[in-house]
Amino acid sequence: MNPKTDTVQSSAEALRYPWEQHPGPEEIVEVRPGVLWARLKLPFRLNHVNIYLLADGDGYAMIDAGFGNEETIEAWTRLFEGPLKGVNITRLIVTHSHPDHVGLAGWIVERFNCPLVMTQVEYLQSVYHQNRGTEERREAQRLFFRRHGMDESLTEKLLGRGQDYLKRVSVLPPSYRRISHGDEVVIGTRRFKVITGGGHALDQAMLYCADDKLFLSADQVLSKISPNVSVWAVEPDQNSLGEYLASLASLTTTLPYDLLVLPGHGVPFYVPQTSRALVPVVFNKHVLDEHQMGFAAGELVAHVNYMIVEGRLTAETKDGVLQFRTT
């Protein structure tokens, strides 16, 4: 797995990806000292989920657990008998209630006798998912789908196989430790701030280590795709998209740009920091020729200068190149 730096013409590809490939099924990659990256298969189109392990005293804190099926148990077993042999899991931090993240929480907690750590809303939402199969809830879902114009055939498909995804969760532990927005969590020698956000999930937890410029973004910030942001029958008038956009807006004013982002899906990435690197991010809808690139670069710098005057950006010179970060 060789590091690379790449700048290409779409907003996603303009990001910098330090790893050319993801870990294989029986491989662990160290992305920072004491920060391990594993990747587990998922049985649907989004075919993987990232798991991170953070050095924590005599073991590692695990971030998310993977999907609740036999294949994932087998994958973890191979890892614990291979590159993670002898590793102790000190605690399991689950970012949110979706089964590809919380699915094997019960299995991990039982195997390592470690605590489960979640936000309160996401823990209770996980419990709800496990117990949502009553006929009353199915009828509420049926009415919700029909209200939005889905015919009877499609509705039954959604209530059948479409809802199986939400059942792929091992039995949750009967207790957990709560984390909340703004908390400080010490993991080994690192201090992380807990940042929560809605839209994709109700109260998804992200972890930010300012000293290491490290951001575990869960599914809230991805590089090449956006997370699913939906409305469900349990809260039919929820403004999910508004919550998601508000979360992103908050992150842009809270976090610096020069972070290593560890997302729940995809590969780790850095955000561009220079004016040149930002051109394909801002002007991402069209391929620019040399003539247009000149105007684009000038316009980009005009925006950057404006934000510096307004106090929204600071500038520093590194190796003769200006780099910017939010204030």
Side-chain angles (χ1 to χ4, degrees), residues 51-226:
I51 308 294
Y52 301 101
L53 297 104
L54 307 177
D56 188 25
D58 62 352
Y60 286 84
M62 180 184 290
I63 312 300
D64 289 334
F67 199 57
N69 60 5
E70 289 299 322
E71 290 76 11
T72 306
I73 291 175
E74 291 170 5
W76 271 127
T77 301
R78 289 193 296 270
L79 287 171
F80 289 134
E81 292 176 352
L84 294 177
K85 188 171 183 178
V87 162
N88 177 48
I89 302 301
T90 58
R91 50 186 143 169
L92 171 62
I93 301 173
V94 172
T95 59
H96 60 295
S97 62
H98 295 168
D100 50 334
H101 297 263
V102 76
L104 275 190
W107 186 83
I108 292 290
V109 165
E110 182 177 1
R111 178 176 178 126
F112 291 96
N113 192 29
C114 64
L116 171 65
V117 182
M118 297 181 73
T119 65
Q120 183 183 61
V121 170
E122 293 299 326
Y123 177 78
L124 296 177
Q125 184 76 349
S126 299
V127 174
Y128 166 76
H129 285 326
Q130 282 199 319
N131 297 282
R132 64 179 299 169
T134 65
E135 189 52 42
E136 290 83 4
R137 286 176 178 163
R138 286 176 61 83
E139 183 60 24
Q141 293 158 22
R142 181 177 288 108
L143 292 172
F144 174 75
F145 292 136
R146 296 303 299 274
R147 179 187 176 196
H148 286 278
M150 301 175 195
D151 61 29
E152 185 174 348
S153 175
L154 177 57
T155 295
E156 292 308 313
K157 288 178 182 177
L158 292 171
L159 288 173
R161 187 174 180 179
Q163 298 295 308
D164 285 346
Y165 164 75
L166 297 169
K167 303 174 185 176
R168 302 297 185 179
V169 179
S170 58
V171 176
L172 283 167
S175 63
Y176 75 107
R177 295 180 183 174
R178 187 198 304 185
I179 52 174
S180 302
H181 181 79
D183 285 353
E184 185 179 83
V185 176
V186 178
I187 302 176
T189 61
R190 293 181 170 93
R191 294 180 178 272
F192 290 88
K193 179 182 178 181
V194 178
I195 302 172
T196 65
H200 175 66
L202 295 176
D203 197 32
Q204 181 170 208
M206 298 161 274
L207 297 174
Y208 167 48
C209 177
D211 290 341
D212 270 11
K213 295 184 178 180
L214 193 63
F215 181 44
L216 283 81
S217 65
D219 284 5
Q220 201 74 349
V221 179
L222 305 175
S223 62
K224 296 186 178 182
I225 60 172
S226 59

Side-chain angles (χ1 to χ4, degrees), residues 267-289:
V267 295
F269 62 92
Y270 289 97
V271 176
Q273 298 167 257
T274 66
S275 293
R276 169 63 185 91
L278 284 168
V279 168
V281 177
V282 177
F283 302 94
N284 64 82
K285 292 185 178 180
H286 306 285
V287 176
L288 304 179
D289 61 23

